């Protein structure tokens, strides 16, 4: 058998479905074995499989747009108004854009809460999780 034929008949080594990612997340979060993570997902049901997906979608879309857009705008602005070498103005623009991106860190915190099976009975959606964290102060979001 030729190598290419053997390769075509082999099953894929890595699969990347949403459920696989959930299992990995459960293993990391709870420190459990794969079998136990799969059992937890079955017990939680399909309704909770995509729980917590809104915050990362909001965060990724917004932060990437802001980060690259602000970097470019700040870079041009600094080059026009600051008499410094280009590498310095670009470096400062990158630091400023990254700092502004950090504003969206609370979305990651809420995602973690929503995906943790221990909190399924406490939070039903993103808004409710944000409200629950509010009473603990700004530090709880970060």
């Amino acid at each position: 058998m030729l190598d290419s034929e053997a390769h075509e008949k082999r099953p894929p080594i890595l699969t990347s479905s949403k459920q696989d990612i959930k299992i990995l997340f459960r293993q990391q979060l709870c420190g459990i074995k794969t079998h136990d993570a799969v059992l937890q997902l079955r017990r939680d049901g399909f309704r909770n499989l995509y729980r917590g997906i809104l915050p990362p979608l909001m965060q990724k879309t917004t932060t990437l747009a802001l980060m690259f857009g602000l970097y470019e705008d700040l870079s041009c602005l600094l080059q026009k108004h600051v008499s410094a070498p280009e590498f310095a103005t670009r470096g400062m623009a990158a630091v400023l854009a990254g700092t502004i991106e950090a504003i969206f860190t609370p979305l990651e915190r809420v995602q973690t809460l929503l995906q943790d099976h221990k909190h399924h009975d406490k939070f039903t959606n993103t808004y409710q999780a944000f409200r629950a964290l509010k009473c603990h102060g700004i530090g709880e979001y970060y």
Side-chain angles (χ1 to χ4, degrees), residues 21-81:
I21 293 169
K22 280 278 193 173
I23 290 169
L24 288 173
F25 181 78
R26 289 280 172 102
Q27 288 178 281
Q28 291 170 346
L29 183 68
C30 304
I32 58 177
K33 295 180 179 180
T34 305
H35 178 71
D36 296 332
V38 170
L39 290 177
Q40 275 186 4
L41 282 173
R42 279 195 185 137
R43 187 175 56 244
D44 292 346
F46 184 76
R47 181 175 173 270
N48 292 321
L49 183 62
Y50 292 102
R51 183 183 170 100
I53 197 141
L54 182 61
L57 286 176
M58 290 170 42
Q59 184 217 14
K60 278 295 183 204
T61 305
T62 308
T63 57
L64 287 176
L66 269 177
M67 187 174 59
F68 291 111
L70 280 174
Y71 168 75
E72 199 57 43
D73 291 347
L74 290 169
S75 184
C76 290
L77 186 69
L78 288 171
Q79 285 178 356
K80 284 181 185 176
H81 298 291

Side-chain angles (χ1 to χ4, degrees), residues 1-21:
M1 188 182 309
L2 297 173
D3 284 340
S4 61
E5 290 174 342
H7 177 70
E8 289 175 7
K9 292 184 180 183
R10 275 188 240 144
I13 295 171
L14 295 175
T15 59
S16 181
S17 71
K18 293 287 184 193
Q19 190 164 359
D20 291 340
I21 293 169

Side-chain angles (χ1 to χ4, degrees), residues 66-132:
L66 269 177
M67 187 174 59
F68 291 111
L70 280 174
Y71 168 75
E72 199 57 43
D73 291 347
L74 290 169
S75 184
C76 290
L77 186 69
L78 288 171
Q79 285 178 356
K80 284 181 185 176
H81 298 291
V82 176
S83 58
E86 184 179 346
F87 76 88
T89 57
R90 289 196 178 271
M92 186 56 140
V95 168
L96 290 170
T99 302
I100 293 169
E101 181 189 6
I103 292 169
F104 295 97
T105 300
L107 293 169
E108 290 179 21
R109 174 75 172 115
V110 169
Q111 173 194 8
T112 303
L113 286 175
L114 289 171
Q115 289 182 339
D116 187 352
H117 73 282
K118 297 173 196 166
H119 300 293
H120 283 186
D121 59 336
K122 295 176 190 168
F123 310 117
T124 56
N125 58 40
T126 301
Y127 177 74
Q128 188 180 26
F130 270 110
R131 271 192 18 196

